[in-house]
């Protein structure tokens, strides 16, 4: 008999067919307590789950006694209680490589859009305000040759450094858990502590996962260390920034602007002050959201689950100790 798998994300037809050729698949809308209650038998016999953007915690795992693998269609896995999964011997699979370049493109989009005020002035064109030669009140600031500070030198940080160094002649500073030889050799990136990076960077770009250590890493104290002309970019996870402190810093002109793809609460609530600040570019978590990359992520997640449930994992496992 094929192992039972719960799918909580829509897949392209060919990938669904691939999944179904290995497993008995039940497609559900989400993993909410209500869905779990209504499909108790299905959850009880599930050996695998595949999807994204749903919490998988201790309480959820009580309903899945037979679970052996969870496959997320994302690189980030802050929705999962990894310790609880590992304790139960459940492999957690993710998609770390296929989205790197696309997310780095998103970060560069935020850098350019905030610095050149692209969305703000484009809106003025649409509303008919472009009636003559533009003056300084429409000007932005340069990106090229400015200093980029990168928090988190993982794959995405490295791809961002590559763009900034070769494409925009930007000196690169970075802070990470350890020195990154490739970044230093290829992009002349300079390792520095957080305070130095904040003080010296024109663009502070966050490419960090959400962990206990990174939660509210950037708060009022850190924002105060940034140049008043600096721009803060976040495409990691929203709660890495204390959003209230950021709003205050933007209102008081302590920093110049912010480009955000992620937020403390997603979707961003309609009454968020961020929406009325002209110096904020807010995107709806589009980091990896291109047709090509989302397809590749879904394909990777399907292959990851097949590998995990057949004992063939070679890569992409967050907690490989459970495989031994
Ligand atoms: C991820 O995969 O974790 C990213 O946030 C997707 O954009």
């Amino acid at each position: 008999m094929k192992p039972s798998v719960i799918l909580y994300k829509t897949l392209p037809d060919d990938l669904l067919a691939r999944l179904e050729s290995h497993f008995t698949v039940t497609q559900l809308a989400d993993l909410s307590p209500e869905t779990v209650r209504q499909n108790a038998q299905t959850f009880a016999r599930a050996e695998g789950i595949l999807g994204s953007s749903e919490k998988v915690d201790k309480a959820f795992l009580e309903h899945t006694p037979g679970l052996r693998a969870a496959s997320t269609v994302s690189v980030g896995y802050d929705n999962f209680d990894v310790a609880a999964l590992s304790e139960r011997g459940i492999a957690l699979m993710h998609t770390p490589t296929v989205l790197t370049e696309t997310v780095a493109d998103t970060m560069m989009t935020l850098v350019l859009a905030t610095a050149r005020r692209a969305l703000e002035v484009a809106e003025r064109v649409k509303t008919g305000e472009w009636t003559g030669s533009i003056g300084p009140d429409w000007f932005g600031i340069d990106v090229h040759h400015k200093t980029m500070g990168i928090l988190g030198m993982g794959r995405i940080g490295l791809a961002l450094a590559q763009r900034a160094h070769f494409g925009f002649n930007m000196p690169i500073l970075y802070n990470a858990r350890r020195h990154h030889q490739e970044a230093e050799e290829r992009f002349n990136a300079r390792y520095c502590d957080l305070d130095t990076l904040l003080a010296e960077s024109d663009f502070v770009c966050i490419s960090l996962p959400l962990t206990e250590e990174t939660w509210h890493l950037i708060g009022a104290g850190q924002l105060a260390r940034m140049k008043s002309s600096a721009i803060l970019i976040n495409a990691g996870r929203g709660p890495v920034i204390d959003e209230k402190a950021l709003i205050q810093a933007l209102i008081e002109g302590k920093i110049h602007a912010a480009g955000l793809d992620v937020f403390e609460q997603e979707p961003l609530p309609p009454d968020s002050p961020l929406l009325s600040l002209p110096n904020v570019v807010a995107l709806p978590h589009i980091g990896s959201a291109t047709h090509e990359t989302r397809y590749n992520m879904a394909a990777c997640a399907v292959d990851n689950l097949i590998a995990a449930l057949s004992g063939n994992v070679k890569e992409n496992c967050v907690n490989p100790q459970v495989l031994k």
Side-chain angles (χ1 to χ4, degrees):
M1 228 175 49
K2 290 189 213 167
S4 290
V5 155
I6 292 172
L7 174 66
Y8 55 103
K9 188 172 185 78
T10 306
L11 290 180
D13 289 346
D14 59 328
L15 297 182
L16 181 58
R18 197 193 300 176
L19 198 67
E20 286 177 333
S21 70
H22 287 80
F23 309 120
T24 301
V25 179
T26 305
Q27 180 132 27
L28 297 171
D30 53 47
L31 301 181
S32 66
E34 181 64 5
T35 302
V36 173
R37 200 179 49 74
Q38 285 169 357
N39 300 275
Q41 293 302 321
T42 311
F43 280 92
R45 64 172 175 266
E47 292 183 52
I49 56 172
L50 189 154
S52 68
S53 312
E54 294 285 318
K55 277 255 170 290
V56 173
D57 54 15
K58 269 204 175 106
F60 170 82
L61 293 177
E62 277 172 21
H63 303 277
T64 57
L67 200 63
R68 293 195 288 128
S71 180
T72 180
V73 191
S74 63
V75 61
Y77 48 84
D78 43 291
N79 276 326
F80 292 83
D81 183 337
V82 182
L85 287 166
S86 302
E87 212 173 280
R88 293 256 319 267
I90 302 165
L92 174 58
M93 311 296 294
H94 69 147
T95 64
T97 49
V98 287
L99 45 67
T100 303
E101 301 293 331
T102 301
V103 178
D105 285 350
T106 300
M107 295 190 81
M108 218 55 226
T109 302
L110 285 169
V111 166
L112 291 164
T114 46
R116 301 302 301 273
R117 302 167 62 195
L119 276 64
E120 198 188 337
V121 295
E123 193 54 33
R124 292 188 193 172
V125 175
K126 285 193 180 163
T127 54
E129 289 168 71
W130 185 28
T131 52
S133 174
I134 66 162
D137 56 329
W138 290 52
F139 294 173
I141 56 172
D142 278 334
V143 172
H144 63 87
H145 295 93
K146 295 282 178 66
T147 298
M148 176 177 281
I150 302 178
L151 292 181
M153 193 50 85
R155 293 181 185 84
I156 296 168
L158 195 69
L160 178 64
Q162 180 181 28
R163 282 156 177 72
H165 175 74
F166 290 119
F168 296 85
N169 287 306
M170 299 173 86
I172 311 288
L173 306 178
Y174 77 102
N175 179 261
R177 270 179 299 191
R178 58 190 78 86
H179 283 256
H180 198 294
Q181 202 182 338
E182 188 183 349
E184 294 182 10
E185 285 173 7
R186 288 178 62 202
F187 315 132
N188 214 11
R190 178 161 69 86
Y191 182 91
C192 53
D193 61 38
L194 180 59
D195 284 357
T196 306
L197 182 144
L198 293 169
E200 293 186 13
S201 300
D202 298 303
F203 295 88
V204 173
C205 298
I206 300 174
S207 177
L208 288 167
L210 178 60
T211 63
E212 276 173 21
E213 292 78 46
T214 63
W215 184 83
H216 281 199
L217 180 70
I218 303 298
Q222 290 67 38
L223 292 160
R225 286 190 185 96
M226 289 173 63
K227 299 180 190 178
S228 57
S229 57
I231 293 180
L232 181 63
I233 304 294
N234 190 9
R237 284 293 182 264
V240 174
I241 299 177
D242 175 349
E243 214 164 88
K244 275 205 180 95
L246 172 63
I247 291 164
Q248 203 54 34
L250 287 163
I251 291 172
E252 290 171 5
K254 292 211 168 104
I255 66 169
H256 182 65
L260 308 168
D261 188 41
V262 289
F263 303 88
E264 291 216 66
Q265 192 188 326
E266 295 179 13
L268 192 57
D271 60 351
S272 168
L274 289 171
L275 293 173
S276 51
L277 293 171
N279 51 348
V280 169
V281 173
L283 298 178
H285 201 147
I286 62 162
S288 61
T290 63
H291 289 291
E292 301 94 325
T293 292
R294 283 292 169 88
Y295 179 89
N296 292 335
M297 289 166 71
C300 178
V302 168
D303 290 342
N304 284 342
L305 192 61
I306 295 169
L309 289 182
S310 60
N312 268 323
V313 172
K314 293 190 180 62
E315 57 186 0
N316 302 340
C317 187
V318 173
N319 53 352
Q321 72 275 14
V322 306
L323 304 171
K324 289 178 187 129

